[in-house]
Amino acid sequence: MSGTVLRAADAKAGKDIFDKKCAACHGEDGTGREAIAKMLKVDLPKLGSKEVQAKSDADLHKVVLEGQGKMKPIKDLDAKNVDDVVAFLRTLAKK
């Protein structure tokens, strides 16, 4: 191993971060808030959808940290926080 430290992601901690930093636009359940989508003139993807869930963890990390389209980057998150958010997003996958 090349000195990489593997961190166990914590979906519960990720939900807490998601609720504080993401739910205002994406909704508590990740289905998006229609009023925000209309105001910004965007389609907010359902975070549990096959399209979103097909993204790699690295791709989801990048969206959280750098933003995408009209979504701004999420500030004040360290790598562990982002791992936790991604772990929470994985719990939204449609079964």
Side-chain angles (χ1 to χ4, degrees):
M1 201 153 33
S2 62
T4 303
V5 176
L6 297 176
R7 295 180 300 267
D10 181 346
K12 185 177 181 316
K15 177 167 179 23
D16 292 341
I17 296 164
F18 181 90
D19 288 347
K20 290 178 185 130
K21 303 232 177 219
C22 312
C25 294
H26 288 286
E28 288 183 20
D29 60 358
T31 59
R33 294 197 185 270
E34 198 171 317
I36 298 289
K38 282 183 180 177
M39 183 179 73
L40 295 174
K41 297 181 174 81
V42 297
D43 287 324
L44 287 172
K46 293 189 179 354
L47 300 179
S49 70
K50 288 180 183 173
E51 296 77 21
V52 172
Q53 293 295 319
K55 293 182 181 288
S56 70
D57 288 358
D59 288 341
L60 292 173
H61 259 257
K62 185 174 181 176
V63 171
V64 170
L65 291 174
E66 297 178 14
Q68 180 176 324
K70 291 187 178 182
M71 180 185 150
K72 299 208 182 309
I74 306 305
K75 303 224 183 283
D76 303 324
L77 295 180
D78 63 22
K80 172 73 169 101
N81 293 150
V82 180
D83 287 346
D84 294 344
V85 170
V86 171
F88 170 69
L89 293 177
R90 295 300 185 202
T91 71
L92 300 176
K94 301 298 175 215
K95 308 259 186 283

